Amino acid sequence: MPTNKINITITLYVDTKRLFDYLKSDDPKTRFITEFCSFGQSENIKNDDFITRIKVSEVSAITWQGQSSSIPSFGEVNILGIISESVADVFSEIICTGKPKIVIGKVENPLNNGFGSIGERYTIYFSFTLGDGNYIGMYTIDPKIEVNL
């Protein structure tokens, strides 16, 4: 009996107000942009250690979306793209669409290529714009995906 695969969503939260204030300040810019970001994980897990675990048999696509965590919301977070850093690419197709921009990765089975369970680091490219449409720059963050059958 076939099972329906699901789509999952990963949200990158960016404290856009704090980041904007930091970028326009006279601070010597020694902080990492990722200090203003999270995936909603507990504070003891760094963004670089954040892992999304998926089963190829259960997941058909992953959607990455951005959201301002500033209250009130300050600007718009756009996901511009993702790039795998692994030989065993998990995605058969990557689509960037919408406003604000999101990225959808269609999951394929890299395990058919001789890989067992794989842990893959990937880079998310994101930007944010202010309410007036003013573009503030492009940034990266590097979480992981763990793929199992």
Side-chain angles (χ1 to χ4, degrees):
M1 174 158 70
T3 61
N4 291 333
K5 290 187 172 188
I6 61 170
N7 296 335
I8 62 171
T9 300
I10 300 170
T11 302
L12 172 64
Y13 298 96
V14 181
D15 189 338
T16 51
K17 176 68 172 133
R18 276 188 45 230
L19 178 56
F20 178 75
D21 289 346
Y22 170 71
L23 292 172
K24 72 176 194 171
S25 73
D26 292 332
D27 188 296
K29 309 301 182 265
T30 56
R31 297 173 71 184
F32 293 104
I33 296 300
T34 56
E35 292 180 41
F36 302 93
C37 305
S38 84
F39 295 98
Q41 75 273 25
S42 64
E43 290 184 18
N44 63 336
I45 299 174
K46 295 180 190 176
N47 290 319
D48 287 353
D49 296 329
F50 176 77
I51 300 174
T52 300
R53 291 178 172 85
I54 64 169
K55 288 188 175 185
V56 172
S57 60
E58 297 175 0
V59 177
S60 61
I62 299 174
T63 300
W64 288 267
Q65 66 182 11
Q67 182 176 325
S68 172
S69 61
S70 300
I71 297 176
S73 185
F74 183 82
E76 187 173 85
V77 178
N78 292 285
I79 305 298
L80 303 175
I82 61 165
I83 295 180
S84 167
E85 297 181 14
S86 171
V87 175
D89 197 357
V90 174
F91 306 104
S92 60
E93 183 178 7
I94 297 174
I95 303 162
C96 184
T97 186
K99 183 170 180 11
K101 294 227 176 286
I102 62 170
V103 170
I104 302 169
K106 298 200 176 183
V107 176
E108 68 175 13
N109 187 353
L111 308 178
N112 284 339
N113 299 326
F115 294 95
S117 172
I118 62 167
E120 171 175 281
R121 183 169 297 284
Y122 63 98
T123 300
I124 299 173
Y125 291 86
F126 70 96
S127 69
F128 78 94
T129 55
L130 300 179
D132 60 5
N134 197 4
Y135 177 78
I136 305 300
M138 184 170 66
Y139 310 98
T140 62
I141 193 165
D142 303 304
K144 300 175 191 167
I145 292 179
E146 182 178 288
V147 180
N148 296 288
L149 283 178

